[in-house]
Structure formats: C-alpha cells, structure tokens
C-alpha cells in the first residue's frame, strides 16, 4: 500500500516567513506533485517533478518553489509566506493505480 | 493546457436515488479520466477511472461514461447511500501525468 506522508497536518506561520512543506513517498515513484485545495476552486497544480532535481511549473507556481534532492522526497517552499497562501496543500505521487494523495497540510498564514 | 469544468457544485439527493456529476475538458489529447472521492477531513481517494479507448466503465453502484467527441465525461452513482456523501472531483490528463482537476461537487445523500 503506497504511503504518501506529509510531515505536518496543521501549520500556522507569520507573513514573510519562509515555509517548508515536506512530502515523502515510499514506493519509488518518479512522479510527484503539489496541489493546493481551496473551496470552489478544486485542486490546482502548483509544481510537479518527474525525477530527482527535476521540476516543472504547474498552473499557479507564483510565490512557491520546490526541491527534489531525493526520489522519495518532494518539498514545497513558500519563500515569503503571504495571507493569500492560506490553504490546504496536498502532495501526491503516481503509480500504476493513479494518484495517491497525502493527508494534506492545512497552512494558515497570519 | 488542460481545463476541466465540473457541474454541479452541490448536489443533494434522497437515499436510494441516483446522482450524476458531469465534467468537460478542453484538451483533446487527454486520455485518462479519474474520479476521486474526498470525505470530510480526509485525502482524495480514487474511486473509478476511464481511459479514452473505452466509452463506459462500471463498478458496482458507480459508473463513468466518456464522450470523446463532445469532450465530456460523467459519474453516475445509483442507489445512493448516506456514506456516499462527500466531495467528488473529476480530473483529466495525458497518460495520468500532471492531472487537472474540476472544482469539485459536494454530494449530500439525505436519509
């Protein structure tokens, strides 16, 4: 059973802070994704990665960056958190049975 | 890029009735169309998917239909039960990579 683990379930950060959201998968999947989920907007793709040290912008990359130094770990970075980045963040990894999502990190920026 | 629209945004049905959720997509190259169910406070879970070489797929009370010409696909849930209450997301992609999701449908099944 594929596990996608997000390190924090809830986070509260201050405006301007640098924020790291961590995601780890245990099935040696090459493809990993970060989405944010907002009411009425569904899941929107921020960044994705097909391999180590490789990244591609999704639909809403502004204000975010990512890091993929190891195959199992895909980090989302908010360089300078802003209140409009308050959201639920979902990491996903893809295998033979489609996406497997992490439990999500609910980030509040105050 | 791909754009997915989903309707309705909310749907309320009586237990035992059927529920239908519809999605349209824009990129004719998309060939993989999954549906996810997200219960309150939980992660989205894949419930059924369809590929573009198939027009319909069924799994017990859940079915998905695909019309490639019109670029739309639908989720059908028959004999709905209260535990079907959740948010449902459709998605479209090429070869299951970098999927684009619809905005979601909140389904409520009233006992």
């Amino acid at each position: 059973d594929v596990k996608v683990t997000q390190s924090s379930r809830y986070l509260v950060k201050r405006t301007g802070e640098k924020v790291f959201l961590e995601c780890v998968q245990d099935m040696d999947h090459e493809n990993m994704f970060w989405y944010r989920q907002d009411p009425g907007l569904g899941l929107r793709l921020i960044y994705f990665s097909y391999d180590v040290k490789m990244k591609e912008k999704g639909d809403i990359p502004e204000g975010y960056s990512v890091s993929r130094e190891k195959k199992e770990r895909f980090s989302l970075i908010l360089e300078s958190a802003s209140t409009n980045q308050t959201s639920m963040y979902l990491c996903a990894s893809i295998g033979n049975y489609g996406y497997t999502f992490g439990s999500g990190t609910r980030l509040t920026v105050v | 890029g791909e754009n997915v629209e989903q309707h309705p945004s909310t749907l309320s049905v009586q237990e035992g009735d059927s529920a239908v959720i519809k999605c349209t997509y824009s990129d004719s190259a998309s060939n993989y169309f999954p549906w996810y169910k997200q219960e309150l406070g939980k992660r989205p879970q894949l419930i059924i998917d369809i590929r573009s070489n198939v027009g319909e797929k069924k799994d017990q009370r859940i079915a998905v239909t695909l019309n490639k010409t019109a670029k739309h696909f639908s989720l059908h849930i028959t004999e709905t039960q209260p535990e079907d209450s959740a948010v449902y997301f459709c998605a479209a992609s090429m070869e299951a990579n970098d999927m684009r999701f619809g905005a979601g449908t909140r389904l409520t099944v009233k006992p």
Side-chain angles (χ1 to χ4, degrees):
Chain A
D1 197 23
V2 178
K3 282 197 172 62
V4 178
T5 304
Q6 292 182 232
S7 54
S8 303
R9 192 66 195 268
Y10 299 95
L11 275 179
V12 179
K13 297 292 182 180
R14 294 195 179 279
T15 300
E17 274 193 80
K18 190 169 186 176
V19 182
F20 292 85
L21 304 184
E22 305 288 346
C23 176
V24 177
Q25 50 93 4
D26 65 356
M27 282 299 290
D28 203 36
H29 289 163
E30 292 180 348
N31 300 342
M32 296 185 74
F33 306 82
W34 275 105
Y35 290 86
R36 64 177 280 178
Q37 182 175 16
D38 300 288
L41 297 176
L43 288 87
R44 292 180 292 166
L45 183 63
I46 305 172
Y47 266 98
F48 56 101
S49 170
Y50 288 132
D51 203 350
V52 175
K53 295 191 187 294
M54 182 276 181
K55 60 186 178 184
E56 292 284 345
K57 292 180 180 179
D59 297 325
I60 51 164
E62 297 78 18
Y64 304 95
S65 62
V66 290
S67 173
R68 184 106 182 262
E69 295 297 319
K70 292 185 179 181
K71 196 173 187 179
E72 66 270 20
R73 186 181 297 272
F74 190 34
S75 303
L76 181 69
I77 303 159
L78 286 67
E79 297 290 342
S80 177
S82 64
T83 54
N84 62 12
Q85 292 178 310
T86 291
S87 186
M88 169 69 83
Y89 290 87
L90 284 163
C91 173
S93 146
I94 189 167
N96 293 335
Y97 299 99
Y99 278 26
T100 298
F101 284 91
S103 296
T105 297
R106 183 164 293 283
L107 172 68
T108 302
V109 182
V110 297
Chain B
E2 178 63 270
N3 182 49
V4 178
E5 294 193 358
Q6 182 172 346
H7 300 280
S9 57
T10 60
L11 179 59
S12 182
V13 300
Q14 286 295 137
E15 182 176 359
D17 288 351
S18 294
V20 180
I21 303 170
K22 298 182 179 181
C23 289
T24 61
Y25 61 99
S26 61
D27 189 350
S28 55
S30 290
N31 59 5
Y32 177 67
F33 308 93
W35 285 88
Y36 286 81
K37 175 183 180 182
Q38 187 177 27
E39 296 176 76
L40 190 63
K42 297 186 177 178
R43 71 189 75 188
Q45 300 270 16
L46 178 69
I47 55 171
I48 195 167
D49 58 10
I50 193 167
R51 295 189 183 272
S52 59
N53 58 346
V54 175
E56 184 174 355
K57 185 175 178 180
K58 194 171 181 181
D59 182 4
Q60 299 181 350
R61 296 185 297 109
I62 295 173
V64 57
T65 59
L66 171 65
N67 183 326
K68 282 194 299 182
T69 304
K71 289 191 279 190
H72 67 69
F73 55 112
S74 301
L75 177 72
H76 304 251
I77 306 174
T78 58
E79 300 171 26
T80 53
Q81 300 166 4
E83 51 265 38
D84 294 330
S85 295
V87 177
Y88 291 81
F89 292 99
C90 63
S93 72
M94 174 86 156
E95 300 298 334
N97 289 321
D98 52 295
M99 279 196 288
R100 294 329 197 251
F101 288 81
T105 297
R106 181 174 298 281
L107 173 64
T108 303
V109 180
K110 294 181 284 188

